[in-house]
Amino acid sequence: MFVLENIKYKNILDISELVIPQGKVTCLVGESGSGKTTLLKHLNKMISPDEGKINYRDKDIGSFNPVDLRREVIMLPQNPVIFPGSIRENLLTGLNFAEKSIPGDEELYDVLKSLKLNKGLEEDAAVLSGGEKQRLAICRIMLMLPEVLLLDEPTSALDDETEEIAIKEVISKVRMNGKTVVLVTHSAEIAERFGEIIIKIRDGQVVNRKEAKLNHE
Amino acid sequence: MNDIVEIEWWRLVAAYAFLVIVLIITWKQGIGREKEIFISALRMTVQLLVMGYVLVAVFDINHFLLSLGVLGLMELFAIYNVYQRIKVKISRKLKTVIAFSMLLGTGLPILYFLIVVINIEPWWEAQYLIPIAGMLIGNSMTGIALGAERLVNGMRAQKDTVEGALMLGATPYIASRPVVNGAFNAATMPVINSMMGMGIVFLPGMMTGQILSGVSPLVAIEYQIAIMLGLLGSVSLTVFTLMHFGYKTFFNQDAQLVDMD
């Protein structure tokens, strides 16, 4: 799905070659400041490399309209962005941005319930806790169901149990629909459990890439 | 109406008693702004005296090129003043947008006001062009300075929200709309508020001046209503133009936020 060749960005990234396959869960692991988020931002053109080439679906990513690309390759940042308004408005923001059809209330409640977010659609999103906001942001992108999901430590504010539920839900939905996930995590355990490909980044370089045997679905 | 009562020079000097009282109060209270107040009063006096003599000459000559030259100088001074007033760092692209917005946003309303509303022949008649352009340019200058500062601060403060919207597939226009709308509201609020209180809370300067110089209050009010609508149009068009082109200066051709530091 993505092929990166000789990517250099400031002093943060220096990747000679990297392949991220379609329809799989790829985990990027590494310490804080190793360049994981910067790499993720290259995949939906939030950042362009200083040098090198990125191919998406066998075409140079530079040739894609950035807005069209981001409607296919959605990124969820580590600190979730909650827009002013209700939970419903926040759930629908992404679909509105991407000019996609709006689901009914039942579907909205279903996605909230799947992430154990038992809230009313009209409640003010601003008053949610950090963990609830993170789950709301995950719900938002689950409704969008893009071709590629770029998840940047999406569960950092959640406890272990909720984290597992959230990641399982996202990944099962993505797998069911044959989509691709690139998950940034600093947790080797999460990567081992959910990643089909695990890429280790250190000082902006790929130091290891392995295909993992999955213990859990 | 009675003829205007001319202020004798020594009575004008007597008006400086207000300045002296303020200087004494600020000195006694230890506020420490005596120098600033004195300099601003001095500047006001000198600037207005010079302007008075310049206007007398310009009105006497009343030539198309001279009127246009004065208008150009006013625009240049206003644009320079906007750059000076904005306390945050702004990009060269945004400076260009500010200059363009001032020229377009004030130029069209000035022409419309003189040709359609007042309907004077020729439209560049200095006695009308200069004071009306002064009011429109002055108010638009305040509005655009406020709007540009709010736009820059808003884009900085809400960088994560704007970027978050881009990541969800929003266009730069949609992603920056909350910031742009907030800046537009802040910039046009003073002129909207002044319309609210006009005639009840205060009598505006132009109308007061006309009444003092012997014009019927009804005629003065006609002018005031027209000029307020002109101000609303001019400030709004200037700020709208700024917002329409200004938000684009925060993004590159790949719809990425540019470095604002």
Side-chain angles (χ1 to χ4, degrees), chain B residues 12-238:
Chain B
L12 182 60
V13 172
Y16 282 88
F18 294 115
L19 175 65
V20 174
I21 292 167
V22 172
L23 288 174
I24 291 170
I25 291 171
T26 47
W27 174 60
K28 285 266 185 201
Q29 292 288 318
I31 295 169
R33 298 192 64 183
E34 302 89 297
K35 193 178 162 192
E36 202 179 332
I37 294 168
F38 179 76
I39 289 174
S40 60
L42 188 69
R43 272 189 64 164
M44 178 271 293
T45 307
V46 174
Q47 284 166 198
L48 285 180
L49 279 173
V50 171
M51 181 53 81
Y53 284 109
V54 169
L55 285 181
V56 167
V58 172
F59 290 177
D60 280 348
I61 299 167
N62 197 27
H63 190 276
F64 171 69
L65 286 180
L66 189 59
S67 292
L68 222 56
V70 173
L71 183 64
L73 276 178
M74 287 162 93
E75 292 279 14
L76 278 180
F77 180 75
I79 292 164
Y80 175 75
N81 209 328
V82 172
Y83 296 161
Q84 297 297 307
R85 276 202 210 182
I86 299 171
K87 298 293 176 219
V88 291
K89 191 181 162 197
I90 52 173
S91 64
R92 185 176 290 184
K93 274 186 184 172
L94 189 58
K95 281 185 176 176
T96 310
V97 171
I98 287 172
F100 174 73
S101 305
M102 276 299 289
L103 292 174
L104 183 80
T106 58
L108 290 179
I110 289 169
L111 281 179
Y112 182 84
F113 201 89
L114 293 169
I115 295 169
V116 179
V117 180
I118 302 189
N119 188 26
I120 49 155
E121 266 303 326
W123 65 266
W124 45 264
E125 174 94 35
Q127 190 191 338
Y128 289 88
L129 172 69
I130 292 170
I132 284 163
M135 280 188 282
L136 265 53
I137 291 172
N139 279 272
S140 299
M141 178 180 81
T142 308
I144 204 170
L146 209 57
E149 195 164 310
R150 280 292 288 263
L151 183 66
V152 176
N153 283 336
M155 291 299 280
R156 281 199 180 133
Q158 296 192 48
K159 182 173 178 266
D160 288 347
T161 310
V162 174
E163 207 165 50
L166 292 177
M167 287 176 185
L168 290 169
T171 59
Y173 169 73
I174 297 285
S176 55
R177 201 159 59 176
V179 176
V180 166
N181 287 352
F184 184 84
N185 285 339
T188 51
M189 197 56 77
V191 70
I192 292 169
N193 281 344
S194 72
M195 286 201 301
M196 291 275 192
M198 195 146 288
I200 300 173
V201 184
F202 60 93
L203 288 181
M206 187 189 82
M207 194 174 132
T208 309
Q210 280 186 306
I211 292 171
L212 285 176
S213 60
V215 171
S216 156
L218 292 177
V219 174
I221 277 168
E222 276 180 5
Y223 267 87
Q224 190 60 45
I225 291 172
I227 199 77
M228 282 313 297
L229 294 172
L231 288 184
L232 178 69
S234 172
V235 173
S236 302
L237 183 60
T238 308

Side-chain angles (χ1 to χ4, degrees), chain A residues 21-37:
Chain A
Q22 185 171 0
K24 298 215 165 167
V25 177
T26 300
C27 287
L28 301 177
V29 294
E31 290 174 3
S32 294
S34 57
K36 306 185 294 291
T37 300

Side-chain angles (χ1 to χ4, degrees), chain A residues 25-110:
Chain A
V25 177
T26 300
C27 287
L28 301 177
V29 294
E31 290 174 3
S32 294
S34 57
K36 306 185 294 291
T37 300
T38 307
L39 171 56
L40 213 56
K41 284 183 169 181
H42 275 80
L43 303 182
N44 72 342
K45 230 176 160 180
M46 289 300 293
I47 295 178
S48 301
D50 297 331
E51 282 176 43
K53 193 175 162 191
I54 301 173
N55 273 4
Y56 169 65
R57 292 181 181 277
D58 302 324
K59 271 175 71 183
D60 184 356
I61 207 167
S63 66
F64 284 85
N65 174 301
V67 174
D68 291 342
L69 178 75
R70 288 175 203 144
R71 289 174 182 180
E72 258 186 69
V73 184
I74 299 265
M75 178 167 169
L76 177 64
Q78 187 176 1
N79 296 317
V81 174
I82 297 300
F83 299 95
S86 64
I87 288 180
R88 178 202 300 278
E89 286 167 310
N90 267 280
L91 283 174
L92 300 181
T93 322
L95 292 167
N96 284 329
F97 286 158
E99 297 165 357
K100 289 183 176 167
S101 60
I102 302 297
D105 284 3
E106 203 176 329
E107 195 176 335
L108 300 184
Y109 275 117
D110 282 349

